[in-house]
């Protein structure tokens, strides 16, 4: 009597591991999101004049209607929803049988990249909060970084410190980093 053979290839193991890594990253991102309080906010944009000097910044103020904490809660929720959609799409692709080996490898590499971005966002947010900021949200897309920081005032030295955290933890160039301030 023959024993039934189970065929589990390297591709299936790799795709399962990547899916689990992505799911864990989304969960960690969701679990580290703080609760929301209500306050009026003002947004300031910090942009750089030179990529060589991290401290050269220019402030532009604009009024924002929603409360600062509501903004951070909504931003995290929106980011989490978009990541969940990416996980569902990946699971659909893996579950579909019409995928060639090249497409599966490409999808696996994309999943790894998304997982790294999620992990980097969480790390950068933690490091910025460790500098004494009440809250922040980081958006990475591989080529650029956008940081929204809750603070009562951001000077050039603080902006330079935030940029240095991003440069240390990601592969984004200095000229592609934008810092927004929410009061």
């Amino acid at each position: 009597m023959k024993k039934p053979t189970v065929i589990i290839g390297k591709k299936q193991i790799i795709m399962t591991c990547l899916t689990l890594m992505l799911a864990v990253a989304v969960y960690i991102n969701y679990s580290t999101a703080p609760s929301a309080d209500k306050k009026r906010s003002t947004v300031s944009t910090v942009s750089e004049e030179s990529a060589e000097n991290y401290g050269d910044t220019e402030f532009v103020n604009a009024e924002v209607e929603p409360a600062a904490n509501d903004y951070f809660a909504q931003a995290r929720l929106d980011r989490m929803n978009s990541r969940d959609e990416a996980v569902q799409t990946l699971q659909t692709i893996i579950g579909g049988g019409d995928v060639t080996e090249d497409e599966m490898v490409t999808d696996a590499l994309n999943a790894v990249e998304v997982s790294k971005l999620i992990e980097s966002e969480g790390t950068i947010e933690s490091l910025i909060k460790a500098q004494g900021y009440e809250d922040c949200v980081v958006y990475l897309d591989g080529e650029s970084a956008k940081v929204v920081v809750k603070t009562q005032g951001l000077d050039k030295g603080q902006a330079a410190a935030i940029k240095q955290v991003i440069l240390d933890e990601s592969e984004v160039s200095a000229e592609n980093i934008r810092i927004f301030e929410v009061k």
Side-chain angles (χ1 to χ4, degrees), residues 105-121:
V105 169
T106 302
D107 293 339
L109 292 174
N110 289 341
V112 168
E113 184 64 29
V114 168
S115 177
K116 286 180 183 178
L117 289 175
I118 291 170
E119 184 178 344
S120 293
E121 286 174 345

Side-chain angles (χ1 to χ4, degrees), residues 3 6 14 17 51 56 67 74 95 100 109 120 142 148 155 161 171 177:
K3 291 184 178 181
V6 177
I14 290 171
C17 290
D56 290 342
Q74 186 63 41
T100 66
L109 292 174
S120 293
V148 181
D155 63 26
E171 297 177 7
I177 298 173

Side-chain angles (χ1 to χ4, degrees), residues 117-128 138 165 169:
L117 289 175
I118 291 170
E119 184 178 344
S120 293
E121 286 174 345
T123 302
I124 292 169
E125 286 176 2
S126 297
L127 291 172
I128 290 172
V138 177
V165 167
E169 296 297 322

Side-chain angles (χ1 to χ4, degrees), residues 6-149:
V6 177
I7 300 175
I8 299 178
K10 290 180 183 178
K11 289 188 272 184
Q12 288 81 11
I13 292 172
I14 290 171
M15 295 306 287
T16 302
C17 290
L18 291 173
T19 303
L20 289 173
M21 285 176 34
L22 189 59
V24 168
V26 168
Y27 173 75
I28 290 171
N29 191 26
Y30 174 74
S31 65
T32 59
S35 62
D37 295 332
K38 295 189 175 190
K39 292 183 182 177
R40 184 159 175 83
S41 66
T42 304
V43 174
S44 299
T45 302
V46 179
S47 63
E48 68 230 351
E49 295 173 12
S50 170
E52 297 174 7
N53 188 350
Y54 303 130
D56 290 342
T57 57
E58 177 181 326
F59 295 91
V60 180
N61 292 326
E63 288 293 322
V64 174
E65 289 302 317
N69 289 329
D70 287 344
Y71 170 79
F72 287 103
Q74 186 63 41
R76 282 193 180 85
L77 183 63
D78 291 344
R79 187 175 66 186
M80 185 185 66
N81 287 338
S82 67
R83 301 294 189 197
D84 287 344
E85 289 175 14
V87 169
Q88 288 176 353
T89 302
L90 179 63
Q91 288 173 343
T92 302
I93 291 171
I94 293 171
D98 299 341
V99 179
T100 66
E101 187 173 330
D102 290 339
E103 291 172 334
M104 189 172 282
V105 169
T106 302
D107 293 339
L109 292 174
N110 289 341
V112 168
E113 184 64 29
V114 168
S115 177
K116 286 180 183 178
L117 289 175
I118 291 170
E119 184 178 344
S120 293
E121 286 174 345
T123 302
I124 292 169
E125 286 176 2
S126 297
L127 291 172
I128 290 172
K129 288 178 188 175
Q131 291 180 353
Y133 297 101
E134 188 174 334
D135 206 352
C136 72
V137 178
V138 177
Y139 299 97
L140 297 175
D141 65 9
E143 297 176 7
S144 66
K146 295 171 186 70
V147 182
V148 181
V149 181

Side-chain angles (χ1 to χ4, degrees), residues 1-6:
M1 188 164 156
K2 286 186 172 181
K3 291 184 178 181
T5 58
V6 177

